[in-house]
Amino acid sequence: MSVYIGGRLRIMSYDEEGRMSELVNAGILDYQVRQLGIWKPVDIESLSNPDAARILSKDGYTALLLKNGSLLGDVTSKEPVSVLPLSEEDPFVDASLGSSCHYAVTGKGSFFLSANGRSWSSVAYDLADAEIRSVACLAKLGVACGTNGTVLV
């Protein structure tokens, strides 16, 4: 909704005598949908490319899938957790947050899972002729799908 940024906001109201008067005339500096509380910057200066490709949120836990292929977990805490794939040549392509387990997956099929979003463990699959594209949480199960009809559980 960046179309509003740089625009003008005018709030009009009727006064006691029934005349329309302007209460506010201001420039729009920022626009957010469903903003709750005060915006807080996340310190991710240590990462080489902190641009977020996707934001994920579930039950008070928020994570960012970054454009460089890494995952930044628990971003609303004082100490966000940086989760790096096993190799730079195999970045994360998707992540999914569940009620009791979180998953991230790389294009070559490495699964990362966490029960709390802070400690992550990995399981690697050997995929010769397929590429993983997405992952979803089904209860406590992580399901990834990819090219050539590949499905990993």
Side-chain angles (χ1 to χ4, degrees), residues 86-150:
L86 295 175
S87 78
E88 288 183 16
E89 292 80 34
D90 189 21
F92 289 119
V93 293
D94 198 16
S96 182
L97 304 179
S99 296
S100 60
C101 204
H102 309 309
Y103 293 95
V105 68
T106 68
K108 294 181 181 176
S110 293
F111 257 103
F112 282 68
L113 53 121
S114 174
N116 61 11
R118 297 201 61 80
S119 301
W120 292 77
S121 58
S122 65
V123 177
Y125 288 90
D126 185 21
L127 300 177
D129 58 348
E131 186 178 325
I132 298 300
R133 301 288 171 96
S134 64
V135 66
C137 290
L138 301 174
K140 293 185 177 185
L141 215 57
V143 179
C145 64
T147 59
N148 300 329
T150 304

